Amino acid sequence: MPLSPLRRIAPGWALSACLGATYLSATCLAPAAVAMELRGATYFTRPPWNVDLVSYYTTVWQSRAEYYFTISLDPEAGASLGGLTIQQTRGVDTRFPFFVERTSAFLGRPRRQGARVPVEASFESDARRFTLRFPEPISPGQTVTVVLKPWNNPASSDTYMFQVTAFPAGPNPSPAPVGFGTLRIYDPDWP
């Protein structure tokens, strides 16, 4: 049986025990918590592939809105989540602002919130793109929700789409497209 290519493993794994063996077996390769590196770049072995976007305030101009982006990491992701980009790719209103300093993150899903997670955020208004970094990367097998807070919802009703890209923790991270979050903003029901 051919051997799998060796990967650089995270500190704390007992590689010496494997190297002391007469041959390398699949059990000597570190499991899911390993950051896979290839040619100096870090990759997910099983990247996240789905994003859920929820907002409980969906009327135009509505204040107090929060946009919850939820991503689950596979237990065998191969690397922790080091960061995300979230970019608006569709929607009539391309100028509604955000409270960037109020961006937050937590483990779990909306209304089933777990521990808070430190997150650093920046926003490029012209590109409509958030860049998020997790100083304490999210481990494989965990679910994380990022909360973006606009000043108010967009001024025009439409279907707004946000492209999400995940970056593994490690040197020279290779981006992994996660998918699109869809947010429908409606006109008020009253006449």
Side-chain angles (χ1 to χ4, degrees):
M1 179 167 120
L3 295 177
S4 300
L6 288 177
R7 302 182 264 179
R8 186 176 299 174
I9 64 172
W13 280 90
L15 180 60
S16 60
C18 291
L19 295 177
T22 56
Y23 65 95
L24 288 175
S25 68
T27 59
C28 289
L29 296 178
V34 174
M36 186 176 85
E37 291 185 39
L38 180 64
R39 297 187 190 120
T42 305
Y43 294 85
F44 289 111
T45 54
R46 289 195 181 171
W49 59 272
N50 187 32
V51 59
D52 294 325
L53 171 54
V54 173
S55 180
Y56 301 106
Y57 297 90
T58 58
T59 304
V60 295
W61 285 109
Q62 199 167 14
S63 60
R64 297 183 314 203
E66 296 177 318
Y67 303 157
Y68 297 90
F69 292 83
T70 302
I71 295 173
S72 295
L73 288 173
D74 190 291
E76 296 179 17
S80 295
L81 178 63
L84 297 169
T85 59
I86 300 174
Q87 182 171 13
Q88 180 184 341
T89 58
R90 185 182 190 286
V92 174
D93 188 348
T94 58
R95 301 211 182 269
F96 65 99
F98 288 88
F99 291 110
V100 179
E101 68 283 356
R102 293 187 187 173
T103 301
S104 62
F106 58 86
L107 296 178
R109 297 186 167 276
R111 297 192 174 169
R112 289 182 278 159
Q113 184 169 325
R116 292 185 68 82
V117 174
V119 62
E120 298 170 357
S122 63
F123 181 62
E124 299 169 62
S125 184
D126 291 342
R128 303 298 295 165
R129 180 175 47 238
F130 272 89
T131 301
L132 307 164
R133 190 177 81 74
F134 300 107
E136 299 171 15
I138 311 303
S139 299
Q142 293 187 315
T143 297
V144 64
T145 297
V146 173
V147 185
L148 303 183
K149 296 186 179 193
W151 290 10
N152 47 258
N153 275 339
S156 299
S157 60
D158 199 1
T159 298
Y160 290 80
M161 295 186 75
F162 298 85
Q163 181 180 13
V164 179
T165 304
F167 293 85
N172 194 20
S174 179
V178 177
F180 288 84
T182 302
L183 174 66
R184 289 179 180 84
I185 300 294
Y186 302 98
D187 287 319
D189 288 338
W190 62 85

